[in-house]
Amino acid sequence: MSTAKRTDTPAPAPHAADSHDLIRVHGARVNNLKDVSVEIPKRRLTVFTGVSGSGKSSLVFDTIAAESQRLINETYSAFVQGFMPTLARPEVDVLDGLTTAIIVDQQRMGGDPRSTVGTATDANAMLRILFSRLGTPHIGPPSAYAFNVPSVRASGAITVERGAKKAVKATFTRTGGMCPRCEGRGTVSDFDLTQLYDDSKSLAEGALTIPGYSMDGWYGRIFGGSGFFDMDKPIRKYTKRELHDLLHREPTKIKVEGINLTYEGLIPKIQKSMLSKDIDALQPHVRAFVERAMTFTTCPECQGTRLSEGARTSKIKGVSIADACAMQISDLAAWVRGLDEPSVAPLLAALGQTLDSFAEIGLGYLSLDRPSGTLSGGEAQRTKMIRHLGSSLTDVTYVFDEPTIGLHPHDIQRMNDLLLRLRDKGNTVLVVEHKPQTIAIADHVVDLGPAAGTGGGTVCFEGTVEGLRAGGTVTGRHLDDRAALKETVRKPTGSLEVRGASAHNLQGVDVDIPLGVLCVVTGVAGSGKSSLVHGSIPPGEGVVSVDQGAIRGSRRSNPATYTGLLDPIRKAFAKANGVKPALFSANSEGACPTCNGVGVVFTDLAMMAGVSSTCEECEGKRFQAAVLDYHLGGRDISEVLAMSVTEAEQFLGAGEARTPAAHRILERLVDVGLGYLSLGQPLTTLSGGERQRLKLATHMAEKGGVYVLDEPTAGLHLADVQQLLGLLDRLVDSGKSVIVVEHHQAVMAHADWIIDLGPGAGHDGGRIVFEGTPADLVAARSTLTGEHLAQYVGSGTRT
């Protein structure tokens, strides 16, 4: 048979499977989107831009990613779906061509005290296996090196029947690596007893100073009915036994007035009711009590390593697992590469790859024992990325929420390379982003706008980056904006002296932070900026610190409740109508009885996805019909809450509805660029940048002389940065000192004084590499920041 090939065969017709190369969205109406229709190319990098609040997250996260997630959940059995969160279908006419979506967002990682960078990635698990194979002395399986696993020893009779014989095995052991003293937390807590009670008083006189422990209610009856102590005897006269019963007694069944109850000592009771919860989730007065009454110290037994003695003494080449986790990851990677052990070669290769990913992504300065709750939003997002970099999955949609937050311009280049690597593996990469450096690498750009809130929600431009530059949209016009260096800088009125700062990686830093000016602290990620600013300038008298931590709040919380704006509005309504203020709260007496003041009714459909529908009785207004009969300036309370901040400022600023206390708060909200938010919008729908600006507006009322801001440009569009700079200028001109931790070159160029930390990250940083004016930094070009700032101010148009 001839093997000659024919050369005139026609090209094969395109396969039908290859035609699905678009994600098509038609008629999206989630949040403020106005019937948005877009076509997003697959296996490409698409960047979504637009001013803050224009609808980017609504399109990417709440429509595309949410529907993908919902469809995946529907593939599970009805039994499994019963255990999963139920997702409502987004309001959109057509969603075609979706692939599995992996969301890599900026949600802070779990605040569990036992969650570390190592446990959040696979690095810790691989290290434990490594030590269980090579560690000497050998102490047991991988669990023996895990600070989350306690050692268990149990004895009892197990009867084994073998024919007529019976054999008894009586012991069971499991070796864990948890330090028995601190239970794997690394710190031990002690109670300051003087904060629990006043020992000169008796229980009957109200000796207990713990929130909620009043002698008028059930606690009084339980203490009195227990019979363990004399209620009229001052605590300082208690016997040892009585004091032990008061503080430490284990749960004991008692009968009080014919009712079966349990009595328990104060300390175990407080540990269960207050200390087992995340401290940020406690009510303010309870949190204040816990902070007063608790003293946290490094565990004396494990020296903060969280590990049992066995796990600490088992070593490889003189290094224990505690030492390995405490090393900077870039050093640990070098140590792992130096281990030449053929029996575990595949494990060493996988571990080396994971650790190298940390360095590539710009997190080589972390250590594996760093608690994950202490990572910033940007660091948490990059830590989550590590799982996906080595993944074998392709044809997946990766969704990123501003991956450049918290990154120095030098690090943004590395992040761009990673995004392109994910794309080149055959994945669709969707990125919500404001930085021109990242917008520049996009294959496709979708620009939403033109304004924020109700003024946004439409697609202003779709196409290439060149097309965006040439287009007349807000983003296109500002893409090449460059803030110029200031002609003159303000002179400091004083200084904050910092001497020998050594928190985290700071290497005995001495610096004078000027007051009365706009001072910017900068440097690559991990160079020690936050350690310097937050460690040396504690919030307290005269210092207002505004960070990016999440605002705690349910869907009942909104800008009006968070800023305290609702109080003067309720009082104004009550005064105008001669009724009590509680009627005008959707969380109190005025709430619609059907939906309890939430505005929507959640219907749980058991095995199927639950549905939230607008409450029929109040039509989503959240109030009883009777409450809406009361008016202020011709508007009812639900109409006022539906107003945007800008509308409400005009409404409450003059005329019959004039409310000076409310007007002052609204002016501050407009000042920070939140004029487009509606007063009743749930806090859960705000972006990270919006939350920080909401906090800033709230704090501006405080009598602070020094404002410390942590990356206030996070989540801000290029056009909004100008407004923020104006606000910072007004703060300084009114006599305040503003200290900003920032990477944005426009803010650096606008500063009066720059403190640059570095030269690198982790133990390669922690030193001052420059302090002086921005002009001097550009002229010297002596640091990475100086190089990037010089490039920035040297190109583009001046604004």
Side-chain angles (χ1 to χ4, degrees):
M1 198 174 127
S2 164
T3 54
K5 289 186 180 155
R6 287 182 55 178
T7 54
D8 57 346
T9 50
H15 197 289
D18 296 332
S19 62
H20 300 283
D21 52 3
L22 289 174
I23 295 175
R24 294 190 313 125
V25 181
H26 281 277
R29 294 178 298 280
V30 175
N31 297 337
N32 66 335
L33 297 179
K34 296 171 182 165
D35 258 343
V36 165
S37 298
V38 288
E39 295 195 337
I40 300 161
K42 285 191 189 172
R43 293 175 284 283
R44 295 290 180 274
L45 179 85
T46 301
V47 171
F48 293 80
T49 63
V51 294
S52 308
S54 58
K56 303 181 297 295
S57 298
S58 301
L59 177 59
V60 179
F61 289 93
D62 303 343
T63 308
I64 298 170
E67 179 63 355
S68 170
Q69 205 83 51
R70 189 183 73 84
L71 293 172
I72 289 166
N73 287 3
E74 283 191 354
T75 63
Y76 297 115
S77 68
F79 174 73
V80 173
Q81 284 183 49
F83 296 101
M84 298 170 87
T86 50
L87 304 167
R89 187 181 185 284
E91 210 174 321
V92 56
D93 297 335
V94 181
L95 260 179
D96 244 4
L98 289 177
T99 70
T100 306
I102 293 176
I103 298 173
V104 189
D105 61 12
Q106 290 177 38
Q107 290 294 321
R108 295 288 171 111
M109 295 170 81
D112 184 278
R114 292 202 196 93
S115 172
T116 64
V117 169
T119 59
T121 54
D122 287 337
N124 243 42
M126 290 193 267
L127 265 182
R128 293 200 298 267
I129 298 170
L130 185 69
F131 272 86
S132 72
R133 299 281 187 280
L134 304 181
T136 52
H138 176 74
I139 58 163
S143 64
Y145 296 89
F147 57 77
N148 287 333
V149 180
S151 292
V152 177
R153 288 180 182 78
S155 58
I158 302 173
T159 309
V160 181
E161 295 191 14
R162 294 199 185 103
K165 294 178 184 172
K166 291 183 181 179
V168 176
K169 296 180 179 181
T171 55
F172 161 77
T173 59
R174 178 182 69 193
T175 309
M178 179 186 283
C179 166
R181 172 80 191 271
C182 65
E183 298 187 345
R185 288 186 170 89
T187 55
V188 285
S189 52
D190 253 336
F191 280 89
D192 176 357
L193 297 182
T194 60
Q195 299 293 339
L196 302 188
Y197 54 75
D198 176 350
D199 67 359
S200 63
K201 293 181 179 173
S202 68
L203 286 176
E205 290 168 335
L208 298 185
T209 52
I210 308 164
Y213 281 66
S214 116
M215 289 298 115
D216 303 334
W218 268 107
Y219 281 115
R221 294 191 200 176
I222 291 171
F223 282 112
S226 67
F228 298 139
F229 18 67
D230 179 351
M231 294 291 284
D232 297 314
K233 182 172 165 186
I235 292 179
R236 64 167 57 137
K237 293 188 176 166
Y238 274 21
T239 61
K240 269 189 179 171
R241 177 78 211 162
E242 285 176 318
L243 201 57
H244 174 270
D245 284 344
L246 177 69
L247 295 175
H248 301 286
R249 187 168 184 126
E250 60 284 352
T252 311
K253 294 263 186 293
I254 58 171
K255 204 165 196 153
V256 178
E257 298 168 22
I259 301 168
N260 289 325
L261 295 169
T262 301
Y263 172 81
E264 191 172 10
L266 290 176
I267 286 176
K269 188 100 179 143
I270 293 171
Q271 278 171 328
K272 283 178 193 163
S273 66
M274 297 178 191
L275 302 189
S276 60
K277 296 179 180 152
D278 179 359
I279 191 157
D280 291 335
L282 298 171
Q283 291 169 291
H285 69 288
V286 179
R287 186 191 317 170
F289 162 74
V290 169
E291 284 167 352
R292 277 198 320 270
M294 297 305 301
T295 53
F296 292 95
T297 50
T298 302
C299 172
E301 198 162 304
C302 68
Q303 280 80 51
T305 60
R306 306 157 178 258
L307 291 158
S308 62
E309 191 185 353
R312 296 196 305 275
T313 50
S314 175
K315 298 186 176 182
I316 302 174
K317 289 191 176 175
V319 173
S320 71
I321 192 165
D323 302 332
C325 288
M327 278 185 201
Q328 188 166 310
I329 289 174
S330 50
D331 297 343
L332 179 59
W335 180 76
V336 168
R337 276 195 292 276
L339 296 176
D340 183 23
E341 190 61 52
S343 63
V344 286
L347 175 67
L348 286 171
L351 178 58
Q353 216 172 349
T354 301
L355 296 173
D356 288 341
S357 300
F358 274 100
E360 265 177 50
I361 213 161
L363 292 179
Y365 60 88
L366 295 178
S367 59
L368 293 182
D369 62 3
R370 168 92 176 254
S372 55
T374 64
L375 297 180
S376 69
E379 286 171 337
Q381 188 175 27
R382 299 201 291 288
T383 304
K384 291 175 195 170
M385 262 182 102
I386 285 166
R387 292 182 201 161
H388 306 302
L389 288 174
S391 164
S392 317
L393 289 172
T394 63
D395 251 338
V396 170
T397 301
Y398 284 101
V399 186
F400 291 97
D401 184 9
E402 291 187 53
T404 58
I405 276 193
L407 285 185
H408 188 271
H410 168 71
D411 300 312
I412 291 178
Q413 191 53 55
R414 290 153 102 175
M415 176 57 75
N416 284 352
D417 295 342
L418 291 167
L419 294 173
L420 293 171
R421 240 176 67 192
L422 279 175
R423 177 201 67 185
D424 295 343
K425 275 174 65 176
N427 297 308
T428 307
V429 182
L430 308 181
V431 184
V432 172
E433 190 50 85
H434 293 292
K435 298 264 171 74
Q437 262 178 286
T438 302
I439 297 171
I441 63 164
D443 301 309
H444 188 73
V445 179
V446 177
D447 187 23
L448 287 137
T454 50
T458 59
V459 175
C460 300
F461 172 83
E462 216 184 330
T464 62
V465 181
E466 285 68 38
L468 177 68
R469 270 202 177 89
T473 68
V474 178
T475 308
R477 287 201 306 274
H478 287 274
L479 205 54
D480 292 317
D481 274 4
R482 296 292 181 266
L485 293 172
K486 288 201 291 202
E487 309 273 323
T488 56
V489 293
R490 302 177 183 93
K491 291 279 175 275
T493 55
S495 67
L496 264 177
E497 292 187 6
V498 176
R499 296 289 176 264
S502 55
H504 302 310
N505 65 333
L506 294 177
Q507 301 183 12
V509 167
D510 295 339
V511 65
D512 292 341
I513 301 174
L515 295 177
V517 295
L518 175 58
C519 174
V520 171
V521 179
T522 184
V524 294
S527 58
K529 302 180 299 296
S530 299
S531 306
L532 176 67
V533 171
H534 297 304
S536 311
I537 314 170
E541 273 311 296
V543 177
V544 176
S545 186
V546 186
D547 61 8
Q548 292 181 29
I551 288 176
R552 297 204 168 265
S554 65
R555 55 177 167 263
R556 287 176 177 275
S557 314
N558 53 45
T561 57
Y562 181 78
T563 56
L565 172 66
L566 200 56
D567 286 337
I569 292 178
R570 282 202 306 246
K571 284 174 186 156
F573 264 96
K575 193 173 173 187
N577 295 285
V579 290
K580 54 184 178 179
L583 278 177
F584 301 100
S585 167
N587 300 331
S588 184
E589 291 183 31
C592 159
T594 309
C595 63
N596 290 329
V598 181
V600 287
V601 175
F602 291 89
T603 313
D604 184 7
L605 299 176
M607 293 305 178
M608 293 186 295
V611 176
S612 67
S613 50
T614 305
C615 171
E616 287 179 12
E617 185 161 326
C618 66
E619 296 172 347
K621 290 179 179 172
R622 305 175 57 193
F623 292 91
Q624 295 173 19
V627 174
L628 302 181
D629 291 340
Y630 299 116
H631 289 81
L632 176 70
R635 302 290 187 96
D636 64 42
I637 183 78
S638 72
E639 288 172 325
V640 171
L641 289 177
M643 288 179 181
S644 71
V645 169
T646 317
E647 282 176 75
E649 190 207 7
Q650 292 163 356
F651 174 69
L652 296 168
E656 190 196 330
R658 187 168 173 275
T659 314
H663 189 251
R664 280 195 297 276
I665 296 171
L666 290 163
E667 277 180 328
R668 292 201 299 273
L669 287 170
V670 172
D671 235 3
V672 296
L674 292 178
Y676 60 87
L677 285 186
S678 74
L679 303 186
Q681 183 177 339
L683 287 188
T684 47
T685 64
L686 299 189
S687 69
E690 286 168 343
R691 285 179 195 158
Q692 195 186 12
R693 297 202 296 290
L694 186 61
K695 279 188 190 173
L696 178 57
T698 312
H699 287 311
M700 275 167 65
E702 294 175 19
K703 298 283 176 276
V706 180
Y707 280 76
V708 179
L709 308 181
D710 190 357
E711 290 184 55
T713 60
L716 274 190
H717 186 266
L718 298 160
D720 299 325
V721 172
Q722 294 303 113
Q723 188 180 0
L724 180 80
L725 290 175
L727 171 68
L728 297 180
D729 273 344
R730 286 199 300 280
L731 276 173
V732 176
D733 292 339
S734 69
K736 313 278 189 199
S737 305
V738 180
I739 300 164
V740 185
V741 174
E742 190 53 87
H743 295 292
H744 202 295
Q745 293 106 317
V747 182
M748 291 181 208
H750 202 75
D752 297 309
W753 192 259
I754 286 186
I755 296 171
D756 192 12
L757 284 133
H763 59 47
D764 301 325
R767 294 192 291 276
I768 303 275
V769 289
F770 175 85
E771 44 183 323
T773 64
D776 294 343
L777 178 61
V778 168
R781 286 190 177 216
S782 56
T783 68
L784 276 171
T785 308
E787 288 284 339
H788 283 281
L789 187 58
Q791 278 173 19
Y792 177 84
V793 296
S795 62
T797 53
R798 176 173 166 165
T799 55

